[in-house]
Amino acid sequence: MLALVNETQNMNNSASNSDSRRAALAVLAALVGCQVLVERLSAANSEVITTLSHVQALAPRQLAEARAVDLQGTVLCYDSDWHQLFMQFQQEITYVEPQGIVTGELRPGDTVRLTGVTAAVDKNPPLTSLKAHLVSHGSLPPSRSIELSAFPQAGAYWVELTASVRMAETSRGRLGLALADGGGTVAYVMGAPPTNDCKSYAGSVLRLRGITTSQTLANGRTRPMLLVPSLAQVSVVEAASAPLGSIP
């Protein structure tokens, strides 16, 4: 009888030891799994983001992780006085607040690196500690030809269009052109206005290359606006010949 009791106790002890080993292995596996997860998350956070689309795809909680960003793009339009900087990254065009990030003068066509870190902020791109670094000078990319009647109502696009000019003025320190499309579209040419009489543009037909955007008026309404990088992107297709009153 005693031998039977001892054998039973040994079996119970063996089962207990086996259970303990399984529990220990389970804890160890969990710890290893957690370590792997931490390493993967750490690697993901340390990975430098190199595309604008990747930045824009991040959720707010991911943006708040201050991930390093290093983007390279082309300057389409830059005007320090008007605080305008539009850049193209691959096929995406975005406005970048230039104040405090640009040292020196940028030119349309320049290749520039933007470095910074992600942040859950209400701006585009959602980055802080942003700095612009000139890589090289270059030329502007090809633009997409559109009709003025098909002017995009939203979004920024690098386009080329031909339009009649209803009115021209320089009261804001830049050449402003009211285009004769019936929709109130205006074009502003960045940089110093031309030295010749700007009113000579009224009644002419121009070919313009620029970025589509919009302008908010005093009454809160918006109107379509084309930001032309410089006078180099303005060419006369047909000089003014008709009286101003005959222009539609």
Side-chain angles (χ1 to χ4, degrees):
M1 177 64 71
L2 181 59
L4 182 60
V5 170
N6 289 336
E7 183 178 350
T8 302
Q9 288 177 340
N10 290 336
M11 291 176 62
N12 290 339
N13 290 337
S14 176
S16 177
N17 291 338
S18 178
D19 290 343
S20 297
R21 284 195 297 271
R22 281 197 295 268
L25 289 173
V27 171
L28 180 60
L31 290 174
V32 170
C34 288
Q35 181 62 30
V36 170
L37 180 60
V38 168
E39 290 175 354
R40 288 179 178 176
L41 289 173
S42 177
N45 290 342
S46 63
E47 177 188 359
V48 178
I49 298 173
T50 58
T51 65
L52 180 63
S53 58
H54 189 169
V55 174
Q56 294 173 332
L58 295 176
R61 62 177 179 79
Q62 295 172 311
L63 290 170
E65 293 169 352
R67 301 187 182 189
V69 175
D70 190 339
L71 308 176
Q72 183 164 299
T74 302
V75 174
L76 296 180
C77 180
Y78 174 65
D79 190 306
S80 57
D81 292 336
W82 275 33
H83 302 289
Q84 298 295 328
L85 174 57
F86 279 87
M87 295 186 63
Q88 178 171 299
F89 301 94
Q90 286 81 43
Q91 299 304 311
E92 297 175 271
I93 297 172
T94 188
Y95 169 79
V96 179
E97 170 55 59
Q99 190 169 7
I101 74 166
V102 176
T103 56
E105 193 70 18
L106 298 178
R107 301 198 302 241
D110 283 350
T111 297
V112 169
R113 282 179 57 219
L114 286 183
T115 58
V117 294
T118 62
V121 292
D122 185 21
K123 68 175 184 177
N124 187 34
L127 304 174
T128 59
S129 303
L130 197 59
K131 292 296 179 184
H133 314 270
L134 176 64
V135 175
S136 63
H137 298 299
S139 56
L140 285 165
S143 52
R144 178 165 62 97
S145 181
I146 66 168
E147 297 293 330
L148 184 57
S149 58
F151 196 96
Q153 298 302 305
Y157 300 93
W158 175 235
V159 302
E160 176 179 327
L161 56 85
T162 300
S164 299
V165 178
R166 183 171 53 83
M167 184 178 67
E169 54 89 24
T170 57
S171 63
R172 299 185 62 189
R174 299 292 182 268
L175 175 61
L177 305 168
L179 306 183
D181 66 336
T185 303
V186 296
Y188 284 102
V189 183
M190 299 295 97
T195 55
N196 62 315
D197 183 9
C198 71
K199 291 183 174 58
S200 63
Y201 287 104
S204 63
V205 178
L206 302 180
R207 181 174 294 111
L208 307 167
R209 287 211 301 171
I211 301 105
T212 63
T213 180
S214 61
Q215 180 183 33
T216 302
L217 305 177
N219 59 9
R221 300 181 64 182
T222 61
R223 64 179 175 183
M225 180 171 69
L226 185 73
L227 278 183
V228 181
S230 69
L231 281 170
Q233 309 308 316
V234 179
S235 58
V236 178
V237 176
E238 183 179 327
S241 59
L244 293 181
S246 66
I247 301 172

